[in-house]
Amino acid sequence: MKTVFFVLLVISIKGCETNTVFVCGSQLGKRYHLTDQCRGLSNCNYHIIPITLDSAIQQHKTLCKWER
């Protein structure tokens, strides 16, 4: 049972790596957002850019606190 759970967990984590997330185009942005309508993006004075979750993580961005 534990093996099945672990395999399903790995598959779902791998599936998340290709999901699109949104970041503010500012060089100072530290967060990624699950939707482009997130409250955390309301202060973005630059373009909102869709990127992959994997790319956001590689850029050391973390999930917006409004979406936790």
Side-chain angles (χ1 to χ4, degrees), residues 9 13-14 20 29 40 42 47 50-51 53-54 59-60 62 66 68:
L9 179 63
I13 289 171
K14 284 291 188 187
T20 300
S42 63
H47 295 289
I51 62 172
L53 177 59
D54 191 41
Q59 295 175 27
H60 306 287
T62 56
W66 292 108
R68 290 185 184 185

Side-chain angles (χ1 to χ4, degrees), residues 2 4-5 9-10 13 17 21 32 34 38 46 51 53 55 57 63 65 68:
K2 289 181 183 180
V4 172
F5 176 77
L9 179 63
V10 169
I13 289 171
E17 290 177 358
V21 296
Y32 66 85
L34 301 177
C38 176
Y46 298 89
I51 62 172
L53 177 59
S55 180
I57 291 170
L63 179 61
K65 291 181 181 180
R68 290 185 184 185

Side-chain angles (χ1 to χ4, degrees), residues 11 34-35 39 49 56 59 61-62 65:
I11 289 171
L34 301 177
T35 69
R39 182 176 175 179
I49 303 169
Q59 295 175 27
K61 296 188 185 296
T62 56
K65 291 181 181 180

Side-chain angles (χ1 to χ4, degrees), residues 4-45:
V4 172
F5 176 77
F6 179 74
V7 170
L8 292 175
L9 179 63
V10 169
I11 289 171
S12 74
I13 289 171
K14 284 291 188 187
C16 290
E17 290 177 358
T18 59
N19 287 344
T20 300
V21 296
F22 301 88
V23 297
C24 183
S26 166
Q27 293 291 330
L28 302 176
K30 297 178 183 177
R31 308 278 184 197
Y32 66 85
H33 308 267
L34 301 177
T35 69
D36 61 347
Q37 300 298 314
C38 176
R39 182 176 175 179
L41 283 169
S42 63
N43 291 331
C44 180
N45 294 323

